[in-house]
Structures are given as structure tokens and as C-alpha cells.
Amino acid sequence: MAKPGIPKGTRDFSPVEMAKRNYIFNTIREVFHLYGFEQIETPAMENLSTLMGKYGDEGDKLLFKIQNSGDYFSGLTDEELLSRNATKLASKFCEKGLRYDLTVPFARYVVMHRDELSFPFKRYQIQPVWRADRPQKGRYREFYQCDADVVGSNSLLNEVELMQMVDAVFTRLGVRVSIKINNRKILSGIAEIIGEAEKIVDITVAIDKLDKIGLENVNAELASKGISDEAIAKLQPIILLSGTNLEKLNTLKTVLATSEVGMKGVEESEFILSKLSLLNIKSDVELDLTLARGLNYYTGAIFEVKALDVQIGSITGGGRYDNLTGVFGMAGVSGVGISFGADRIFDVLNQLDLYPKEAVNGTQLMFVNFGEKEAEYCLPLLTKVREANIRAEIYPDAAKMKKQMGYANDKKVLFVAIVGENEMNEGKVMLKNMETGEQQLVDIVQLITAVTK
Amino acid sequence: MAKPGIPKGTRDFSPVEMAKRNYIFNTIREVFHLYGFEQIETPAMENLSTLMGKYGDEGDKLLFKIQNSGDYFSGLTDEELLSRNATKLASKFCEKGLRYDLTVPFARYVVMHRDELSFPFKRYQIQPVWRADRPQKGRYREFYQCDADVVGSNSLLNEVELMQMVDAVFTRLGVRVSIKINNRKILSGIAEIIGEAEKIVDITVAIDKLDKIGLENVNAELASKGISDEAIAKLQPIILLSGTNLEKLNTLKTVLATSEVGMKGVEESEFILSKLSLLNIKSDVELDLTLARGLNYYTGAIFEVKALDVQIGSITGGGRYDNLTGVFGMAGVSGVGISFGADRIFDVLNQLDLYPKEAVNGTQLMFVNFGEKEAEYCLPLLTKVREANIRAEIYPDAAKMKKQMGYANDKKVLFVAIVGENEMNEGKVMLKNMETGEQQLVDIVQLITAVTK
């Protein structure tokens, strides 16, 4: 018989991994709740008509498609079949696909439920998504996304609160982070004043290299991308932008003075940064013009979070987008959101070993099983300790002591209760601390105190 | 543009439904933890080779299959294609499918991870499963299962503890239930002594009708199923089995005296019931010979839970099975488990309106937004109340008061904080209780006390 396996790019999560992941999800969830976000869930399967065309051609190819039940050949001519056109026939064979992200299903949800929803709608969603991507280190075909979005409000207070939430989550997790913010409108303004709108990505890439390659080489790279000398000259204050966020904003106000959209971006960033400065958040917030994520998607503020103590890509990101639901026929709904990268945060916490002991501990107390009579004595005690909220179990079989203790060790159980003839006669249990080796004869009240303290 | 929809048989869960479902899942999860069960998760997609042939022909047809990426036509002849054999070609087009239950993936998990696991392995799993069944009221194509199993232990203490867990879950949820238990071996014993092994299902179905149709009609039905007069005569004490569990067991001991397997089933049931009687559980536990779920699957104890105050099928069930992992080449692993039917439990709690208020409440406190200056005053207060673990938000836009209050109402926010010129001057906030309409001018300390009390 073949050894069973799982599809490539997917994972089993064993108890310790689950406990760690739950610690992360619960921390994020608590913060979402404290900020008034409510959870929704959408089905794993969406109609392909909902998913197709939303992620570009490349995205369409990465959708997992689900074969129709029953006779999926009906209505197909011999010619169509023999064409062997995999893409075209897939659309005949399949009507449903697995969700690719949480954003499109959310947009679909908002449109379908618009009449029940009270706007602004603050929702969060923690669910897996699936992508038929080539699996590689740190990239999976099934992974969780953790998204919080506010839709139906243009207020920049939403951006401020999302940044506070990022700070709160990573403060609780004990991860030192830097929050980078930028604004799509500032980038548009830069493109506008130098008259090279379509070169904005080349420009941000080049600016990003300043530290590494120096000003001269940055300018050479810009020239090699076909940017005019005049435009490069105009870009100098932006390439050399430095100092505090306030200083940067002041420079930008001079450079972008003639661009309406650019000045709007500066104003928005100023609002967000000034409000955040009132709230003494722990993380560093930095205006970073090289941040250019999802340019085709975001329309206002954009942000990204970097861990300071681990070399890894951004662990959280987001921004403001207009017209989330336009593609489903509901116009004029602006939104802003963040997405926590659960898998990367998991890697960061593992590397820094930041899990609190109580978050990953399972069973606290195990009763050794010496036989039916002894087990009968232990069962009511188990009921009592569980009523005291202690996670407890009895080894189910009267196996050899060594085996039972090995099980307790494997499960990292801190306390073991040993009950034999003597203990039963005295109405007590022998409690062993597995870390110190210490043993003491205790009654049920002392037992509960010892384990919960 | 077409109005977007979701695949039939699937559901969106909105915030209130999610809060209720989470309350149920969290209650179950807490009990699982108290009994030493640990969580695992497996991928939504499994290889079809893992899933096929495990649920019978009918089950194979109900698997959702995922189309291979890329050129899924490769290696197919024209003849094969034109055969239009949907079932056969599905196996060429698809290598993966969505999991149909949590049991087969769990068995696959145990076999794959056998070297890392410490047995007995007590795991729980709360994840969705998918079935291409015809959707109808209460039957969905995507639904959650909540399973707890112990594998690698033959001890009946596991059965005892699973019954305790059932009792603990429904006691916490406030649902009055009756736990029915039976044993596959008793049923085998009955079949053995009457010499009609293959008629066991007919027999249990007929016995089940005693209350409704009377003894005479039950006997007539048995005869119509081809059961001999002699066998029917032998069945009389079993059909008329009544009284306490002890009385039933005593009758069975007489009737099944000559059947080794039957007596083993009686002995097992006696063990489970006698141990449970020491533990004063709240639910009624009844030995019920008409219980015959999953006959081909279970090999020992079987149990089912009925809600006493709502007309609905069984809301939890389970039993002992031998050889869970045999199909994947790992023999001799016995297991016993229960599965909580989340969707039905949800229906029961809805009908009885058993959700505690704090389980479904979201935001506790909303700050009205009168404009930028006022919002700036409120932001640090929001930080403080959240530090006090209060779920709070500020309406993001300076919208009309009526709109803001409508939002608070829709979200069932209990307290609204109103901050205008006067309140700012006094360093206070006007706190309104949305239920009583009462208003009071409070400082931040009083605010926190009022909302948390």
C-alpha cells in the first residue's frame, strides 16, 4: 500500500503548531474586537464568475477550479472536446473555484448584503485562501489571510485606527516593528510634476537603492530608464528626502506645490501622522516614498510593516482603495484595510521564540492509571479539577509506569498525580512536579492550588 | 451587470451568526482542552487517492474534485475524450478533492505522522467539510464538523470521558439532552442468538416502532422482513426491554448468555454506565438498543445525543471503531470519537434563544464624531478604554447625529459617548446608555467603570 501523502504546497498543522497559530490569531482577533471590527465568513467555493478577471490573467491561471458534479460534458461538441483547449474547456467543466483572497469575496458579500449592512461596515475575516502557485519555501497553496477593512467611510480616522491596531497587535506579540506609510497620491504627484507618470515604479525602485548605490548611480539608473535630465533634476529633493516625517512632509510641500493630487497626498499623510503622534504608539512610523505596493489597486494611503529583529519581507500591509465593489455593480464605496501575514508572523515569532508558555501548553495535570479501582478513585477528582478550570486527563490504560510517564513528558504535562493503595487509603494523591521532580502528598484542595498557582 | 451570488448549498455568515457560532465552537473547544485533547488542522484539499473508496460509491460521487492545473488533457486519447465518461475522465482531469469529513484526513494524518505522535493520541479538529449533496433545508454543501477522537487506546475510560464531555458541553450551552448509548457487540449478539445476522437493521428499525405501533405490529413487521417465528419469539424480551439501564442489562445478560460477543457488549456497556453513575453528570444516559448508527463502521460502543426541548435529529454522535488507519497500511489502531453537529446545535440554541448576551455583543462603546477637533479629543480616550479591555470605536465621519446614532443602534452598542465643546472644556464626556436613555457627565475613570460594570 502506498504511503499516504498530501497535495504539494499544503500542510498539516500538529498540536504545537496549532497552539502557536491560535495564539497569533487570537491576539489579532482580540485587537480587531477592541476596535469594533466584526467577523464574517464566506464559503471556500465561489462562483468562477465572481473570481475570474479580478486578479489579472496570471491570477485567473492560479485559481483552483472545481469540476462540476454530474455530466460535465453535456452541451460540448466533439470539436470543442478535441480542441483540447484546457483554459476554454475548464470554463465549461467548472463553475466554481476556491477563493484566491479575502478581498473579492468580501466585495461580493458587501454587494449581496448591502441592505442588511450598516455603513461604515467594519469587518474582519480570518480564513484560508488557495492559489495554484508553484510551491516554494514560505509559499504555500493553502494559507490563511487575516484581513480587517472598513468600507463606506472616507474618513482618515480609519487609517489612523488601523495603524494603532497594527501597533497594538505587534506590541502584544512582543515583536518590534517599523510601520512604513506612503500615499498613492504623493506618487501620482511626483509623476505629475516630472511629467513621467508611467515611470513611477522605476522611480521608486531607483530611490530605494540610494543607501546601497549612492546618488550618482541612482541618477544613472533613472536616466537609463529613459527619464529626462530635467525630470531627474526635479527629483533630487525627493531622492534625498530625509529627516523626520515632518521634515519630509515640508520638503514634499515645496516640491509638489504645483500638483493638486500630490498636495492632497501630503495633506492626508500629515493628518495620519499628526493624529498618530497624539497616541504614543510604540512602533516607529516612517513616511517612506519607496513604498509602492499594489499601485493599480490602492488610491490613497498605503502601509507596510517590517519586523526589526528578523530578516523577512513585510509581515502586514494594506491601504485605501476606492471602488471596491464597483466591479459588482455597486459604485462609490471606498474602503481601507490591512492584512496580517499569519505565516510570516508565525516565522518571526518562532525565530524570536516569543510564545508565552501558557499559550502553547496543553494538559496541565495527568493522573497515572494503576488499574480499574484506582481509576475509579481518580475520575471524581478529575471532575473536580476540571471544574476548577484545570486541563487534566487520566492515562486511559493501566500501562507500565514508564510508558505513562513518557506520554506525560511528550505532552509536556507539568504535574502528574500518582494514586496507589496508600494514597487511596489516606484520601489523597501524590503530586509530582515534572520539572523539579518534587513530590508531595496533597488533598484535592491543595492539588488545585498547586496546579493553578 | 449580473447580481453576484454564491454556489448553492453554501452560506455567508454575517457578524451576528459568526458571534453565535463562535460561542458554540469556543464552548466545545474549552471542554476539549479541559479533557486533554489537542487541536490539529489538515488541508482542505486531499489527494483523491486518499479520499476515494472510503465512503462507498455514493460518497465517491459526492466528492468535490479539483481540476488539475495546466494541461489536464495530456496523455488522453481522442477515443477516451469522446467516450464522455464523466466518472472515468474526472479521475484523469483531477488528482485532488475537498475533504468529505474529518475522519479520513485524520486517519491519513495519524499514519503520516505516526513517528512524531505519542499514543494514545487525543486530537480534536474543527474545520469545514464539503459534499456535493443535493442541498435542502438544514443540509449544506459546506459545513463544519467538530470531532474529538482518542486513537491507540482500547480503554473504556475513553468512552466514559467522551460521555462526560458531551454532558459538559451541553450543560455549558444550557441545552437539556439525553445521551443514548448502545454497543455494536450487543447488536451482533442479538443477531447471533436469533440466527439472522444480516437482518440486524430491520430488527432495530422494527423495535424502534414499539411505542408507536404496538407489539403485535412490530412482530408482524419482523415476520414480513422474513424473520422466522422462532427468532421473533427469542426477540420478545429485547423488544419489550424496559426499566432502568441496570434492569435492561440484566435482561440482556439472560437473553445473550450464549453469545460471547453479545456478553462482551453487555459488559462494556455496564462498565461505561457504572463509571458514569459515579460522576453525577447532568444529562440522562439511556441504553437504547434501537440505536444502530454506522453499523459498518463502529465496532464497540455507539452513542447519540438528542435535544430534549427541540424537535431535531441527533445533535452529536460517535462510537468506537477498530482499525481506523488499516486502510492506509497501519493496522491495530483502535479509536473512539465523537462529532458535534455544529449546524444543528446552532439551530437548537437559536430556537431556545440560549445565547448569553455577552457572547453575541460586539462594540460596547461608541464615540460620536462632531468633527476633527472633537475627534482629536476622543482618540486618546479611546486608547484608554481599550486598554481597559472595552470594545470601542469612534464613528469615523462627522456625519449627522441621527446617522451616527442609527449606526450605534444597528450595531447594538450599549453606550454612546458624546463629546462637544462643553464636555471638552470640562475634560469629561457625556455618556448615554442606549437602553435606558439615561445620560451622565463622566470622567474617564467613571466612563470605564460605567461601561465595564
Side-chain angles (χ1 to χ4, degrees):
Chain A
M1 189 168 313
K3 214 185 162 225
I6 50 176
K8 66 177 174 185
T10 69
R11 293 165 287 176
D12 286 325
F13 294 109
S14 39
V16 173
E17 290 162 327
M18 277 308 297
K20 290 178 173 179
R21 290 169 65 85
N22 283 335
Y23 167 66
I24 295 171
F25 289 135
N26 290 338
T27 304
I28 294 173
R29 203 191 320 264
E30 271 166 32
V31 171
F32 285 171
H33 285 165
L34 283 179
Y35 281 77
F37 286 75
E38 301 179 306
Q39 191 175 14
I40 69 161
E41 279 188 8
T42 61
M45 298 186 283
E46 293 276 352
N47 291 326
L48 281 176
S49 57
T50 299
L51 300 177
M52 298 285 284
K54 310 300 188 299
Y55 308 105
D57 288 349
E58 202 44 47
D60 282 352
K61 277 187 207 137
L62 300 183
L63 292 172
F64 280 111
K65 299 179 184 74
I66 292 159
Q67 191 134 41
N68 296 341
S69 311
D71 183 14
Y72 49 90
F73 287 105
S74 72
L76 282 181
T77 65
D78 288 4
E79 240 182 350
E80 283 176 305
L81 267 181
L82 293 177
S83 75
R84 290 179 157 76
N85 185 330
T87 310
K88 203 172 150 204
L89 284 166
S91 71
K92 305 271 184 181
F93 291 160
C94 307
E95 281 166 6
K96 295 180 285 289
L98 295 179
R99 69 172 159 255
Y100 179 88
D101 70 2
L102 301 179
T103 306
V104 167
F106 173 51
R108 193 266 310 142
Y109 175 92
V110 169
V111 175
M112 270 181 75
H113 298 266
R114 59 205 290 180
D115 295 334
E116 310 148 30
L117 297 178
S118 187
F119 292 98
F121 181 47
K122 300 168 82 167
R123 88 85 172 80
Y124 78 89
Q125 202 168 343
I126 301 179
Q127 293 193 276
V129 301
W130 294 270
R131 296 182 186 179
D133 232 330
R134 188 183 301 275
Q136 58 183 54
K137 189 178 170 335
R139 191 205 280 163
Y140 303 101
R141 292 185 148 190
E142 173 180 73
F143 58 97
Y144 271 76
Q145 291 194 334
C146 270
D147 287 14
D149 292 79
V150 188
V151 294
S153 162
N154 295 314
S155 167
L156 294 167
L157 283 182
N158 297 304
E159 276 84 339
V160 173
E161 292 217 317
L162 289 172
M163 295 302 90
Q164 270 192 289
M165 287 163 65
V166 166
D167 181 65
V169 165
F170 290 109
T171 301
R172 281 161 185 244
L173 293 176
V175 178
R176 297 196 315 131
V177 298
S178 161
I179 303 174
K180 315 276 187 195
I181 83 162
N182 195 5
N183 195 298
R184 176 67 172 101
K185 293 178 181 130
I186 292 179
L187 297 177
S188 299
I190 294 170
E192 204 173 280
I193 60 140
I194 62 167
E196 302 272 9
E198 72 291 356
K199 298 269 163 64
I200 189 66
V201 173
D202 291 337
I203 293 169
T204 58
V205 167
I207 294 177
D208 193 29
K209 293 183 183 164
L210 181 66
D211 280 351
K212 270 193 219 136
I213 63 176
L215 182 61
E216 215 163 310
N217 289 316
V218 169
N219 287 338
E221 179 168 325
L222 288 169
S224 78
K225 298 286 179 184
I227 294 171
S228 72
D229 288 352
E230 195 196 354
I232 292 174
K234 280 192 185 151
L235 273 175
Q236 295 309 295
I238 287 169
I239 300 171
L240 293 169
L241 198 69
S242 67
T244 64
N245 291 330
L246 263 182
E247 288 164 350
K248 288 180 183 173
L249 286 169
N250 283 334
T251 307
L252 285 172
K253 277 182 198 166
T254 318
V255 180
L256 298 176
T258 59
S259 162
E260 195 182 329
V261 65
M263 288 305 280
K264 184 91 181 93
V266 172
E267 190 191 304
E268 289 182 9
S269 304
E270 201 164 23
F271 181 96
I272 298 168
L273 290 167
S274 74
K275 293 295 174 284
L276 279 176
S277 71
L278 299 175
L279 299 169
N280 64 70
I281 66 174
K282 309 227 167 25
S283 316
D284 207 48
V285 184
E286 189 199 346
L287 182 67
D288 179 356
L289 289 196
T290 66
L291 182 63
R293 48 182 290 132
L295 268 188
N296 301 320
Y297 181 63
Y298 293 117
T299 52
I302 44 188
F303 18 83
E304 216 167 76
V305 179
K306 290 274 194 183
L308 294 180
D309 303 312
V310 174
Q311 282 286 354
I312 198 165
S314 90
I315 55 178
T316 291
R320 167 146 325 246
Y321 42 82
D322 290 329
N323 212 11
L324 170 74
T325 53
V327 71
F328 296 117
M330 183 179 171
V333 179
S334 178
V336 58
I338 40 172
S339 185
F340 287 86
D343 285 299
R344 282 191 179 164
I345 295 171
F346 179 72
D347 288 345
V348 168
L349 265 70
N350 278 342
Q351 280 194 48
L352 302 176
D353 196 15
L354 286 178
Y355 298 98
K357 215 172 164 189
E358 61 278 14
V360 289
N361 274 4
T363 297
Q364 297 162 278
L365 171 66
M366 186 193 87
F367 283 78
V368 169
N369 185 340
F370 284 127
E372 189 177 342
K373 205 176 48 170
E374 290 84 354
E376 207 166 88
Y377 176 90
C378 294
L379 285 179
L381 298 180
L382 273 158
T383 304
K384 288 216 178 80
V385 297
R386 287 172 182 147
E387 277 166 3
N389 234 12
I390 292 169
R391 297 183 299 277
E393 57 187 293
I394 179 167
Y395 194 89
D397 305 88
K400 290 213 177 94
M401 187 72 171
K402 197 181 157 196
K403 191 169 178 199
Q404 298 193 40
M405 296 307 265
Y407 173 87
N409 261 326
D410 286 347
K411 247 183 140 165
K412 299 199 168 52
V413 177
L414 184 54
F415 289 99
V416 167
I418 301 164
V419 177
E421 200 64 38
N422 289 341
E423 287 79 10
M424 293 202 295
N425 288 338
E426 294 199 43
K428 301 208 166 170
V429 312
M430 184 63 78
L431 184 67
K432 179 173 180 169
N433 181 316
M434 296 289 278
E435 241 168 36
T436 63
E438 212 183 322
Q439 296 201 162
Q440 48 175 332
L441 196 66
V442 294
D443 63 24
I444 178 73
V445 176
Q446 294 165 322
L447 174 68
I448 289 171
T449 310
V451 176
T452 46
K453 82 163 176 222
Chain B
M1 188 166 317
K3 217 187 160 221
I6 51 176
K8 65 178 175 185
T10 69
R11 293 165 288 175
D12 285 326
F13 294 110
S14 41
V16 173
E17 289 162 329
M18 279 308 298
K20 291 178 171 181
R21 289 170 66 85
N22 283 335
Y23 167 66
I24 295 171
F25 289 134
N26 289 340
T27 303
I28 294 173
R29 201 190 322 262
E30 269 167 33
V31 171
F32 286 170
H33 285 163
L34 282 179
Y35 282 76
F37 285 76
E38 300 179 306
Q39 189 173 17
I40 69 162
E41 280 189 6
T42 61
M45 298 186 283
E46 293 275 352
N47 291 326
L48 280 176
S49 57
T50 299
L51 300 177
M52 298 285 283
K54 309 301 188 298
Y55 308 105
D57 289 349
E58 201 43 48
D60 282 353
K61 278 189 207 138
L62 299 184
L63 291 172
F64 279 111
K65 299 179 184 74
I66 292 160
Q67 190 134 43
N68 296 339
S69 311
D71 183 14
Y72 49 91
F73 287 106
S74 72
L76 282 183
T77 65
D78 289 3
E79 242 182 348
E80 284 176 304
L81 267 181
L82 293 177
S83 76
R84 290 180 156 76
N85 185 329
T87 310
K88 204 171 149 203
L89 284 167
S91 72
K92 305 271 184 179
F93 292 159
C94 306
E95 281 166 4
K96 295 180 285 289
L98 296 179
R99 72 175 156 252
Y100 179 88
D101 69 3
L102 302 178
T103 306
V104 167
F106 174 51
R108 193 266 310 143
Y109 175 92
V110 169
V111 175
M112 271 181 74
H113 299 265
R114 59 206 289 179
D115 296 333
E116 311 148 30
L117 297 178
S118 187
F119 292 97
F121 180 47
K122 300 168 82 168
R123 88 85 171 78
Y124 78 89
Q125 202 168 343
I126 300 179
Q127 291 193 277
V129 302
W130 294 270
R131 295 182 185 177
D133 232 329
R134 188 183 301 275
Q136 57 184 54
K137 189 180 170 337
R139 192 205 279 159
Y140 303 101
R141 292 186 148 191
E142 173 180 75
F143 58 97
Y144 270 77
Q145 291 193 333
C146 267
D147 287 15
D149 292 78
V150 188
V151 294
S153 163
N154 294 314
S155 167
L156 294 167
L157 283 182
N158 297 305
E159 276 84 339
V160 173
E161 292 216 317
L162 289 173
M163 295 302 90
Q164 271 191 288
M165 285 162 66
V166 166
D167 181 63
V169 165
F170 290 110
T171 300
R172 281 162 185 243
L173 293 176
V175 178
R176 297 195 317 128
V177 298
S178 161
I179 303 175
K180 316 276 187 193
I181 83 161
N182 195 6
N183 196 298
R184 176 70 172 99
K185 292 178 181 129
I186 292 180
L187 296 177
S188 298
I190 295 172
E192 203 174 281
I193 59 141
I194 62 167
E196 301 272 11
E198 73 290 356
K199 297 268 164 64
I200 188 66
V201 173
D202 290 337
I203 294 169
T204 58
V205 167
I207 294 178
D208 193 28
K209 293 185 183 164
L210 182 66
D211 281 351
K212 267 193 220 136
I213 63 176
L215 181 60
E216 215 164 310
N217 290 316
V218 168
N219 287 339
E221 179 166 326
L222 288 169
S224 78
K225 298 284 180 186
I227 294 170
S228 73
D229 289 352
E230 197 195 352
I232 291 174
K234 279 192 185 152
L235 273 175
Q236 296 309 296
I238 286 169
I239 298 172
L240 292 169
L241 197 70
S242 66
T244 64
N245 291 330
L246 263 182
E247 288 163 349
K248 288 180 183 172
L249 287 169
N250 284 334
T251 306
L252 286 172
K253 278 182 196 164
T254 319
V255 180
L256 298 177
T258 59
S259 163
E260 195 182 327
V261 64
M263 289 304 280
K264 183 92 181 93
V266 172
E267 191 191 301
E268 289 183 7
S269 305
E270 203 165 21
F271 182 96
I272 297 168
L273 290 167
S274 75
K275 293 293 175 286
L276 278 177
S277 70
L278 300 175
L279 299 169
N280 66 66
I281 66 173
K282 309 227 165 27
S283 315
D284 207 48
V285 183
E286 190 198 348
L287 182 66
D288 179 356
L289 291 196
T290 65
L291 182 63
R293 49 181 289 134
L295 269 187
N296 301 321
Y297 181 64
Y298 292 117
T299 53
I302 43 187
F303 19 83
E304 217 167 78
V305 180
K306 289 272 194 184
L308 294 180
D309 302 312
V310 174
Q311 282 286 354
I312 199 166
S314 90
I315 54 178
T316 291
R320 160 125 0 224
Y321 42 83
D322 290 330
N323 212 10
L324 170 74
T325 52
V327 71
F328 296 118
M330 181 180 173
V333 179
S334 178
V336 58
I338 40 171
S339 184
F340 287 86
D343 285 300
R344 283 191 179 164
I345 295 172
F346 179 71
D347 288 345
V348 168
L349 265 70
N350 278 343
Q351 279 193 47
L352 301 176
D353 195 16
L354 287 178
Y355 298 99
K357 217 173 162 189
E358 61 278 14
V360 288
N361 275 4
T363 297
Q364 298 162 277
L365 171 65
M366 186 194 88
F367 283 78
V368 169
N369 186 339
F370 285 125
E372 189 177 343
K373 204 177 50 173
E374 291 85 354
E376 205 166 271
Y377 177 90
C378 294
L379 285 178
L381 298 180
L382 273 158
T383 304
K384 289 215 176 81
V385 298
R386 285 170 183 147
E387 276 165 6
N389 232 11
I390 291 169
R391 299 182 299 278
E393 56 187 293
I394 180 168
Y395 194 90
D397 305 86
K400 290 214 177 93
M401 186 72 172
K402 197 182 158 196
K403 191 169 178 198
Q404 299 193 39
M405 295 307 264
Y407 173 87
N409 261 326
D410 287 346
K411 247 182 140 167
K412 297 196 171 51
V413 177
L414 184 54
F415 289 99
V416 167
I418 301 163
V419 177
E421 200 65 38
N422 289 340
E423 286 80 11
M424 294 203 295
N425 287 339
E426 295 197 44
K428 301 208 167 172
V429 313
M430 183 64 76
L431 184 66
K432 178 173 183 171
N433 181 316
M434 296 289 278
E435 243 168 33
T436 63
E438 212 183 322
Q439 297 202 162
Q440 47 174 332
L441 196 66
V442 295
D443 63 23
I444 179 73
V445 176
Q446 294 164 322
L447 174 68
I448 289 171
T449 311
V451 176
T452 46
K453 81 158 176 230

